[in-house]
Amino acid sequence: MNKLFTSAAVSIALLVAAPAAFAQSQSEPAETDQSTYTNPAASGEAETNFDDAELRKFVEAQSGINDIRDEYMAKIEDADSQEEAQELQMEANDEMVSVIEDAGLDIPTYNAIATAYNSEPSVRNRVDALM
């Protein structure tokens, strides 16, 4: 459980800038307006009424996120320069975005669930029960 908590916190940190970067990298318009996304943790308004399907998708994505985080943390620590570390972080972010989308979530929903997991015991208990 502590690993999920740490992973969710790291994932949020890595993905905070992802919505804007993701929106810029799309060649076709996104279904939601990514430019108006606000971080629920920053606004103090974390959604907590997620359905079980969304939480299952979060758990599925989190598994892939853990693998990517583990792989890239070592690479980033071994980087020869700040530029190389930043490139590796961007690669990790891109892979994390793909994992989240492959699980059937968008970035704002993933971040909202991760924020709620870290701040709302009811969400944490529901996610932990699905693991």
Side-chain angles (χ1 to χ4, degrees):
M1 184 164 56
N2 283 339
K3 186 172 182 176
L4 178 61
F5 176 78
T6 302
S7 177
V10 170
S11 300
I12 289 173
L14 290 173
L15 292 171
V16 167
F22 176 70
Q24 290 174 356
S25 70
Q26 290 296 308
S27 59
E28 44 190 74
E31 289 181 14
T32 59
D33 184 6
Q34 297 285 335
S35 64
T36 61
Y37 171 73
T38 57
N39 185 346
S43 67
E45 302 172 6
E47 180 184 347
T48 60
N49 59 342
F50 304 103
D51 62 36
D52 285 347
E54 288 174 312
L55 296 181
R56 278 190 210 94
K57 291 174 184 178
F58 174 81
V59 169
E60 177 185 336
Q62 196 58 41
S63 175
I65 295 286
N66 287 341
D67 294 342
I68 294 166
R69 185 204 65 224
D70 292 345
E71 175 187 348
Y72 276 90
M73 289 300 281
K75 289 180 180 180
I76 290 169
E77 287 175 7
D78 292 340
D80 294 328
S81 67
Q82 183 67 26
E83 293 79 21
E84 182 182 356
Q86 287 174 337
E87 276 185 37
L88 289 167
Q89 185 173 358
M90 289 173 51
E91 284 178 28
N93 282 345
D94 290 345
E95 287 190 33
M96 289 180 188
V97 166
S98 294
V99 165
I100 291 166
E101 290 176 338
D102 289 347
L105 291 174
D106 58 28
I107 301 304
T109 302
Y110 172 85
N111 284 342
I113 295 171
T115 298
Y117 179 89
N118 288 323
S119 63
E120 298 294 329
S122 62
V123 174
R124 181 178 306 117
N125 292 337
R126 289 177 61 208
V127 169
D128 289 347
L130 294 171
M131 293 173 41

XYZ file of all heavy atoms in Angstrom, residues 22-108:
670
model
N 0.494 17.008 -23.524
C -0.285 16.038 -24.268
C -1.178 16.737 -25.287
O -1.265 16.322 -26.430
C -1.130 15.209 -23.300
C -2.044 14.242 -23.982
C -1.532 13.134 -24.623
C -3.407 14.447 -23.999
C -2.372 12.235 -25.258
C -4.249 13.558 -24.630
C -3.728 12.456 -25.255
N -1.822 17.816 -24.885
C -2.712 18.550 -25.791
C -1.937 19.091 -26.987
O -2.419 19.079 -28.113
C -3.417 19.678 -25.047
N -0.712 19.558 -26.755
C 0.100 20.095 -27.833
C 0.567 19.000 -28.778
O 0.774 19.239 -29.958
C 1.317 20.819 -27.269
C 0.952 22.103 -26.568
C 2.162 22.725 -25.898
O 3.257 22.174 -25.896
N 1.957 23.885 -25.307
N 0.721 17.771 -28.257
C 1.247 16.696 -29.100
C 0.165 16.007 -29.913
O 0.469 15.176 -30.755
C 1.979 15.669 -28.231
O 1.056 14.962 -27.434
N -1.083 16.306 -29.660
C -2.173 15.665 -30.392
C -2.292 16.250 -31.795
O -2.287 17.452 -31.983
C -3.508 15.872 -29.662
C -3.601 15.101 -28.367
C -3.565 13.608 -28.625
O -4.319 13.107 -29.435
N -2.680 12.919 -27.947
N -2.428 15.391 -32.778
C -2.603 15.878 -34.142
C -4.072 16.112 -34.460
O -4.392 16.818 -35.401
C -2.007 14.878 -35.136
O -2.636 13.631 -34.993
N -4.962 15.500 -33.669
C -6.384 15.748 -33.845
C -6.934 16.311 -32.539
O -6.363 16.087 -31.488
C -7.114 14.467 -34.251
C -6.721 13.250 -33.480
C -7.302 11.995 -34.087
O -6.817 11.547 -35.130
O -8.250 11.481 -33.492
N -8.034 17.035 -32.576
C -8.550 17.658 -31.363
C -8.920 16.627 -30.304
O -9.437 15.565 -30.615
C -9.808 18.404 -31.828
C -9.795 18.369 -33.312
C -8.829 17.318 -33.749
N -8.655 16.967 -29.068
C -9.005 16.097 -27.956
C -10.490 16.230 -27.656
O -11.103 17.244 -27.944
C -8.188 16.494 -26.719
N -11.055 15.178 -27.054
C -12.479 15.208 -26.728
C -12.786 16.230 -25.640
O -13.854 16.807 -25.608
C -12.939 13.828 -26.261
C -12.985 12.827 -27.380
C -13.478 11.475 -26.900
O -14.012 11.379 -25.799
O -13.303 10.523 -27.657
N -11.832 16.423 -24.727
C -12.027 17.425 -23.689
C -11.033 18.545 -23.909
O -9.973 18.351 -24.479
C -11.811 16.822 -22.284
O -10.488 16.298 -22.224
C -12.819 15.734 -21.987
N -11.346 19.699 -23.430
C -10.473 20.845 -23.598
C -9.373 20.784 -22.548
O -9.559 21.198 -21.407
C -11.285 22.141 -23.464
C -10.435 23.380 -23.729
O -9.266 23.244 -24.122
O -10.950 24.478 -23.525
N -8.221 20.261 -22.931
C -7.108 20.089 -22.011
C -6.552 21.426 -21.524
O -5.973 21.504 -20.454
C -5.985 19.284 -22.689
C -6.381 17.892 -23.075
C -6.453 16.951 -21.890
O -5.797 17.164 -20.885
N -7.259 15.921 -21.996
N -6.717 22.491 -22.301
C -6.141 23.773 -21.915
C -6.831 24.380 -20.706
O -6.282 25.263 -20.058
C -6.191 24.757 -23.093
O -7.544 25.028 -23.413
N -8.033 23.913 -20.368
C -8.728 24.453 -19.210
C -8.609 23.543 -17.996
O -9.241 23.789 -16.987
C -10.230 24.676 -19.522
O -10.807 23.414 -19.859
C -10.420 25.674 -20.639
N -7.794 22.519 -18.071
C -7.610 21.603 -16.960
C -6.939 22.324 -15.807
O -5.968 23.045 -15.977
C -6.748 20.409 -17.385
C -6.338 19.538 -16.221
C -7.261 18.713 -15.609
C -5.054 19.571 -15.734
C -6.908 17.925 -14.543
C -4.687 18.786 -14.666
C -5.620 17.966 -14.070
O -5.263 17.191 -13.009
N -7.471 22.139 -14.620
C -6.829 22.652 -13.419
C -6.574 21.484 -12.489
O -7.358 20.540 -12.431
C -7.705 23.695 -12.691
O -8.962 23.087 -12.382
C -7.911 24.930 -13.536
N -5.492 21.547 -11.776
C -5.112 20.493 -10.858
C -6.040 20.539 -9.650
O -6.067 21.522 -8.937
C -3.653 20.689 -10.442
C -3.154 19.559 -9.570
O -3.920 18.758 -9.049
N -1.844 19.517 -9.404
N -6.812 19.459 -9.402
C -7.739 19.483 -8.284
C -7.037 19.642 -6.941
O -7.590 20.205 -6.011
C -8.465 18.132 -8.364
C -7.685 17.306 -9.295
C -6.861 18.226 -10.146
N -5.791 19.168 -6.825
C -5.061 19.323 -5.571
C -4.762 20.792 -5.303
O -4.803 21.256 -4.174
C -3.765 18.519 -5.616
N -4.472 21.544 -6.363
C -4.160 22.962 -6.196
C -5.409 23.757 -5.824
O -5.328 24.732 -5.080
C -3.554 23.518 -7.478
N -6.564 23.353 -6.319
C -7.783 24.094 -6.039
C -8.454 23.646 -4.757
O -9.388 24.292 -4.286
C -8.766 23.943 -7.210
O -9.202 22.597 -7.298
N -7.995 22.528 -4.187
C -8.608 22.021 -2.975
C -9.922 21.303 -3.222
O -10.659 20.996 -2.304
N -10.232 21.036 -4.478
C -11.491 20.385 -4.835
C -11.206 19.048 -5.502
O -11.120 18.955 -6.711
C -12.278 21.270 -5.806
C -12.595 22.632 -5.286
C -13.203 23.524 -6.363
O -13.474 23.030 -7.475
O -13.393 24.700 -6.080
N -11.062 18.012 -4.716
C -10.824 16.688 -5.274
C -12.145 15.950 -5.392
O -12.893 15.848 -4.432
C -9.855 15.914 -4.387
N -12.430 15.467 -6.601
C -13.628 14.666 -6.816
C -13.439 13.329 -6.106
O -12.346 12.774 -6.100
C -13.836 14.435 -8.307
C -15.044 13.606 -8.628
C -15.184 13.302 -10.106
O -14.497 13.920 -10.922
O -15.987 12.423 -10.424
N -14.498 12.821 -5.509
C -14.380 11.543 -4.804
C -15.434 10.540 -5.217
O -15.456 9.437 -4.702
C -14.471 11.752 -3.279
O -15.731 12.341 -2.972
C -13.338 12.619 -2.762
N -16.315 10.890 -6.127
C -17.400 9.978 -6.498
C -17.083 9.218 -7.792
O -17.817 9.283 -8.755
C -18.720 10.732 -6.619
C -18.671 11.837 -7.656
O -17.600 12.264 -8.057
N -19.820 12.302 -8.096
N -16.008 8.458 -7.759
C -15.607 7.657 -8.906
C -16.343 6.328 -8.862
O -16.557 5.765 -7.798
C -14.098 7.404 -8.884
C -13.291 8.665 -8.832
C -12.710 9.086 -7.649
C -13.124 9.450 -9.963
C -11.965 10.251 -7.594
C -12.394 10.611 -9.918
C -11.816 11.016 -8.728
N -16.715 5.811 -10.041
C -17.356 4.499 -10.044
C -16.273 3.413 -10.040
O -15.091 3.679 -10.247
C -18.333 4.353 -11.212
C -17.675 4.460 -12.585
O -16.533 3.999 -12.755
O -18.329 4.995 -13.497
N -16.709 2.177 -9.762
C -15.748 1.074 -9.658
C -14.981 0.847 -10.954
O -13.815 0.468 -10.926
C -16.457 -0.211 -9.227
C -16.831 -0.208 -7.751
O -16.345 0.666 -7.002
O -17.618 -1.089 -7.346
N -15.622 1.067 -12.086
C -14.939 0.879 -13.370
C -13.764 1.849 -13.500
O -12.682 1.459 -13.947
C -15.915 1.062 -14.531
N -13.962 3.105 -13.110
C -12.871 4.080 -13.166
C -11.747 3.688 -12.212
O -10.565 3.794 -12.563
C -13.375 5.477 -12.792
C -14.248 6.119 -13.833
C -14.839 7.428 -13.363
O -15.382 7.483 -12.235
O -14.749 8.399 -14.135
N -12.105 3.224 -11.031
C -11.082 2.827 -10.060
C -10.321 1.596 -10.529
O -9.108 1.505 -10.327
C -11.708 2.599 -8.686
C -12.334 3.843 -8.043
C -12.908 3.499 -6.669
C -11.348 4.996 -7.939
N -11.010 0.651 -11.193
C -10.314 -0.515 -11.752
C -9.315 -0.076 -12.831
O -8.212 -0.601 -12.921
C -11.316 -1.511 -12.342
C -11.939 -2.415 -11.319
C -12.747 -3.539 -11.981
N -13.840 -3.907 -11.112
C -15.077 -3.424 -11.174
N -15.414 -2.562 -12.110
N -15.991 -3.802 -10.326
N -9.731 0.864 -13.668
C -8.832 1.389 -14.704
C -7.629 2.068 -14.068
O -6.498 1.941 -14.551
C -9.579 2.372 -15.609
C -10.632 1.708 -16.479
C -11.430 2.732 -17.242
C -12.557 2.086 -18.034
N -13.366 3.082 -18.742
N -7.860 2.788 -12.963
C -6.773 3.440 -12.243
C -5.778 2.402 -11.722
O -4.563 2.557 -11.883
C -7.327 4.283 -11.086
C -6.254 4.869 -10.209
C -5.580 6.019 -10.590
C -5.922 4.281 -9.001
C -4.588 6.565 -9.790
C -4.931 4.814 -8.193
C -4.266 5.965 -8.587
N -6.293 1.326 -11.117
C -5.424 0.271 -10.588
C -4.624 -0.366 -11.721
O -3.416 -0.599 -11.595
C -6.251 -0.792 -9.813
C -5.414 -2.018 -9.489
C -6.821 -0.173 -8.537
N -5.283 -0.615 -12.861
C -4.597 -1.187 -14.020
C -3.490 -0.246 -14.503
O -2.358 -0.673 -14.745
C -5.603 -1.420 -15.146
C -4.988 -1.948 -16.418
C -5.995 -2.056 -17.559
O -7.203 -2.156 -17.301
O -5.550 -2.014 -18.717
N -3.820 1.037 -14.626
C -2.816 2.014 -15.075
C -1.683 2.115 -14.069
O -0.513 2.204 -14.453
C -3.471 3.377 -15.288
N -2.013 2.086 -12.794
C -0.994 2.252 -11.762
C 0.046 1.155 -11.817
O 1.227 1.404 -11.589
C -1.657 2.305 -10.379
C -0.767 2.853 -9.308
C -0.273 4.258 -9.604
O -1.020 5.103 -10.087
N 0.979 4.515 -9.333
N -0.369 -0.044 -12.173
C 0.573 -1.142 -12.310
C 1.620 -0.817 -13.381
O 2.823 -1.003 -13.176
C -0.168 -2.425 -12.658
O 0.734 -3.463 -12.913
N 1.160 -0.344 -14.534
C 2.087 0.048 -15.601
C 2.932 1.247 -15.222
O 4.122 1.314 -15.557
N 2.326 2.190 -14.508
C 3.057 3.380 -14.054
C 4.195 2.967 -13.128
O 5.304 3.491 -13.225
C 2.103 4.357 -13.316
C 1.043 4.898 -14.266
C 2.875 5.462 -12.609
C 1.502 5.914 -15.253
N 3.927 2.015 -12.222
C 4.974 1.536 -11.312
C 6.157 0.978 -12.087
O 7.318 1.252 -11.756
C 4.424 0.454 -10.379
C 3.509 1.009 -9.327
O 3.518 2.196 -9.025
N 2.686 0.140 -8.760
N 5.881 0.181 -13.117
C 6.954 -0.409 -13.926
C 7.779 0.677 -14.620
O 9.014 0.635 -14.623
C 6.385 -1.364 -14.969
C 5.730 -2.598 -14.351
O 6.008 -2.902 -13.166
O 4.936 -3.248 -15.054
N 7.093 1.645 -15.202
C 7.787 2.740 -15.896
C 8.600 3.556 -14.899
O 9.758 3.892 -15.156
C 6.784 3.634 -16.651
C 6.137 2.839 -17.796
C 7.457 4.902 -17.179
C 4.911 3.497 -18.393
N 7.997 3.878 -13.764
C 8.698 4.659 -12.750
C 9.971 3.951 -12.313
O 11.038 4.553 -12.250
C 7.787 4.902 -11.536
C 8.431 5.829 -10.499
C 7.875 5.649 -9.117
N 8.216 4.312 -8.654
C 7.383 3.508 -8.042
N 6.152 3.864 -7.811
N 7.769 2.312 -7.639
N 9.862 2.656 -12.020
C 11.036 1.894 -11.588
C 12.126 1.898 -12.653
O 13.308 2.093 -12.352
C 10.647 0.453 -11.244
C 9.773 0.368 -9.998
O 9.678 1.355 -9.234
O 9.154 -0.707 -9.803
N 11.732 1.691 -13.904
C 12.698 1.656 -15.006
C 13.392 3.010 -15.182
O 14.617 3.090 -15.295
C 11.983 1.275 -16.298
C 12.864 1.336 -17.528
C 12.096 1.117 -18.830
O 10.913 0.700 -18.794
O 12.691 1.368 -19.888
N 12.613 4.076 -15.193
C 13.172 5.384 -15.510
C 13.858 6.063 -14.331
O 14.751 6.885 -14.543
C 12.101 6.301 -16.115
C 11.957 6.069 -17.598
C 11.063 5.122 -18.090
C 12.738 6.765 -18.517
C 10.939 4.888 -19.446
C 12.620 6.535 -19.881
C 11.707 5.595 -20.331
O 11.601 5.368 -21.681
N 13.473 5.750 -13.111
C 14.146 6.369 -11.968
C 15.636 6.015 -11.988
O 16.485 6.868 -11.776
C 13.506 5.935 -10.647
C 12.135 6.530 -10.410
S 12.110 8.333 -10.345
C 12.718 8.575 -8.683
N 15.937 4.749 -12.264
C 17.335 4.323 -12.333
C 18.058 5.018 -13.486
O 19.191 5.481 -13.330
C 17.417 2.809 -12.492
N 17.398 5.098 -14.638
C 18.018 5.756 -15.785
C 18.264 7.238 -15.506
O 19.311 7.778 -15.871
C 17.129 5.622 -17.025
C 17.055 4.232 -17.605
C 16.141 4.211 -18.820
C 16.029 2.847 -19.429
N 15.146 2.842 -20.617
N 17.311 7.891 -14.873
C 17.449 9.325 -14.575
C 18.572 9.553 -13.572
O 19.366 10.483 -13.725
C 16.105 9.905 -14.084
C 15.111 9.940 -15.254
C 16.283 11.295 -13.477
C 13.682 10.247 -14.861
N 18.654 8.684 -12.572
C 19.730 8.818 -11.585
C 21.102 8.625 -12.221
O 22.081 9.240 -11.783
C 19.531 7.808 -10.455
C 18.398 8.175 -9.531
C 18.128 7.107 -8.475
O 18.917 6.133 -8.375
O 17.137 7.255 -7.754
N 21.190 7.793 -13.246
C 22.467 7.514 -13.913
C 22.760 8.469 -15.068
O 23.790 8.332 -15.730
C 22.497 6.075 -14.438
C 22.530 5.052 -13.317
O 22.910 5.408 -12.189
O 22.163 3.876 -13.583
N 21.874 9.407 -15.317
C 22.061 10.331 -16.447
C 23.343 11.142 -16.265
O 23.718 11.514 -15.156
C 20.865 11.263 -16.569
N 24.010 11.411 -17.399
C 25.266 12.145 -17.382
C 25.078 13.655 -17.315
O 26.013 14.373 -16.992
C 26.093 11.798 -18.629
C 26.542 10.338 -18.620
O 26.777 9.786 -17.518
O 26.647 9.759 -19.715
N 23.877 14.126 -17.645
C 23.649 15.566 -17.650
C 22.193 15.865 -17.291
O 21.331 14.990 -17.345
C 23.957 16.157 -19.031
O 23.012 15.674 -19.984
N 21.949 17.110 -16.945
C 20.598 17.561 -16.647
C 19.697 17.410 -17.880
O 18.549 17.025 -17.770
C 20.621 19.019 -16.181
C 19.266 19.569 -15.781
C 18.709 18.905 -14.532
O 19.447 18.397 -13.699
N 17.402 18.883 -14.419
N 20.264 17.707 -19.049
C 19.496 17.600 -20.289
C 19.069 16.152 -20.546
O 17.926 15.893 -20.927
C 20.302 18.133 -21.488
C 20.570 19.619 -21.442
C 21.717 20.005 -20.519
O 22.589 19.147 -20.204
O 21.742 21.165 -20.076
N 19.988 15.217 -20.335
C 19.672 13.807 -20.516
C 18.596 13.370 -19.521
O 17.652 12.653 -19.881
C 20.920 12.943 -20.348
C 20.662 11.467 -20.579
C 21.886 10.583 -20.360
O 22.986 11.102 -20.088
O 21.712 9.359 -20.457
N 18.707 13.831 -18.288
C 17.704 13.498 -17.266
C 16.335 14.043 -17.658
O 15.315 13.365 -17.502
C 18.133 14.046 -15.909
N 16.303 15.254 -18.202
C 15.032 15.843 -18.629
C 14.437 15.069 -19.805
O 13.227 14.861 -19.868
C 15.216 17.317 -18.989
C 15.412 18.193 -17.771
C 15.728 19.639 -18.130
O 16.204 19.935 -19.228
N 15.473 20.537 -17.196
N 15.287 14.649 -20.734
C 14.807 13.846 -21.863
C 14.207 12.532 -21.381
O 13.147 12.107 -21.852
C 15.958 13.549 -22.839
C 16.227 14.635 -23.835
C 17.301 14.218 -24.844
O 17.323 13.026 -25.243
O 18.099 15.080 -25.230
N 14.899 11.898 -20.438
C 14.399 10.640 -19.894
C 13.072 10.854 -19.156
O 12.163 10.023 -19.255
C 15.441 10.017 -18.957
C 16.675 9.454 -19.643
C 17.770 9.153 -18.625
C 16.320 8.201 -20.440
N 12.957 11.962 -18.441
C 11.709 12.256 -17.742
C 10.565 12.457 -18.744
O 9.456 11.986 -18.530
C 11.854 13.479 -16.850
C 10.618 13.734 -16.010
C 10.814 14.838 -14.997
O 11.888 15.413 -14.888
N 9.769 15.138 -14.259
N 10.862 13.129 -19.851
C 9.841 13.330 -20.882
C 9.434 11.992 -21.504
O 8.248 11.761 -21.763
C 10.336 14.319 -21.935
C 10.396 15.746 -21.402
S 11.167 16.956 -22.523
C 10.320 16.685 -24.035
N 10.411 11.111 -21.747
C 10.100 9.780 -22.271
C 9.204 9.024 -21.296
O 8.230 8.378 -21.708
C 11.385 8.972 -22.497
C 12.189 9.353 -23.703
C 13.476 8.532 -23.820
O 13.500 7.371 -23.330
O 14.443 9.059 -24.377
N 9.556 9.089 -20.009
C 8.756 8.413 -18.985
C 7.344 8.979 -18.966
O 6.367 8.221 -18.892
C 9.416 8.559 -17.615
N 7.216 10.296 -19.038
C 5.889 10.924 -19.058
C 5.072 10.428 -20.249
O 3.892 10.114 -20.115
C 5.998 12.449 -19.102
C 6.327 13.056 -17.768
O 6.213 12.425 -16.732
N 6.740 14.305 -17.798
N 5.705 10.371 -21.433
C 5.002 9.907 -22.627
C 4.509 8.470 -22.450
O 3.378 8.136 -22.811
C 5.901 10.002 -23.861
C 6.171 11.433 -24.296
O 5.452 12.349 -23.845
O 7.119 11.632 -25.091
N 5.372 7.620 -21.891
C 4.984 6.229 -21.672
C 3.863 6.136 -20.639
O 2.938 5.333 -20.784
C 6.192 5.393 -21.240
C 7.154 5.123 -22.378
C 8.219 4.112 -22.021
O 7.930 3.175 -21.224
O 9.346 4.241 -22.529
N 3.932 6.969 -19.590
C 2.883 6.960 -18.571
C 1.546 7.402 -19.157
O 0.506 6.822 -18.851
C 3.272 7.850 -17.392
C 4.373 7.284 -16.546
S 4.770 8.411 -15.187
C 6.218 7.625 -14.528
N 1.582 8.418 -19.995
C 0.353 8.883 -20.646
C -0.242 7.744 -21.477
O -1.455 7.501 -21.431
C 0.618 10.140 -21.513
C -0.547 10.430 -22.444
C 0.913 11.347 -20.630
N 0.596 7.028 -22.211
C 0.118 5.907 -23.025
C -0.508 4.818 -22.161
O -1.569 4.280 -22.500
C 1.258 5.313 -23.847
O 1.699 6.236 -24.803
N 0.136 4.503 -21.038
C -0.388 3.468 -20.140
C -1.751 3.879 -19.593
O -2.686 3.077 -19.534
C 0.613 3.189 -18.991
C -0.033 2.418 -17.855
C 1.823 2.436 -19.518
N -1.864 5.138 -19.202
C -3.127 5.640 -18.646
C -4.227 5.578 -19.696
O -5.341 5.115 -19.428
C -2.938 7.062 -18.093
C -2.046 7.013 -16.853
C -4.279 7.720 -17.778
C -1.511 8.362 -16.398
N -3.921 6.039 -20.894
C -4.920 6.018 -21.968
C -5.271 4.590 -22.383
O -6.435 4.293 -22.662
C -4.428 6.823 -23.161
C -4.405 8.307 -22.859
C -3.830 9.117 -24.001
O -3.085 8.560 -24.835
O -4.135 10.312 -24.052
N -4.279 3.703 -22.417
C -4.547 2.303 -22.760
C -5.458 1.645 -21.728
O -6.189 0.716 -22.047
C -3.242 1.506 -22.881
C -2.437 1.883 -24.121
O -2.978 2.570 -25.015
O -1.248 1.488 -24.183
N -5.409 2.140 -20.483
C -6.286 1.620 -19.430
C -7.697 2.196 -19.548
O -8.605 1.751 -18.854
C -5.704 1.929 -18.059
N -7.878 3.191 -20.427
C -9.204 3.757 -20.640
C -9.500 5.014 -19.845
O -10.653 5.401 -19.705
N -8.459 5.663 -19.317
C -8.633 6.904 -18.566
C -8.015 8.059 -19.327
O -7.114 7.877 -20.134
C -7.957 6.815 -17.194
C -8.564 5.869 -16.167
C -7.675 5.803 -14.935
C -9.957 6.318 -15.781
N -8.482 9.279 -19.027
C -7.780 10.459 -19.509
C -6.915 10.980 -18.354
O -7.063 10.557 -17.209
C -8.750 11.526 -20.037
C -9.761 11.989 -19.004
O -9.462 11.941 -17.797
O -10.850 12.414 -19.406
N -5.985 11.862 -18.675
C -5.026 12.339 -17.677
C -5.716 13.061 -16.523
O -5.400 12.795 -15.358
C -3.944 13.231 -18.334
C -3.196 12.456 -19.422
C -2.962 13.768 -17.290
C -2.565 11.163 -18.985
N -6.647 13.987 -16.775
C -7.299 14.666 -15.642
C -8.014 13.688 -14.700
O -7.955 13.860 -13.479
C -8.289 15.625 -16.316
C -7.684 15.890 -17.657
C -7.050 14.589 -18.054
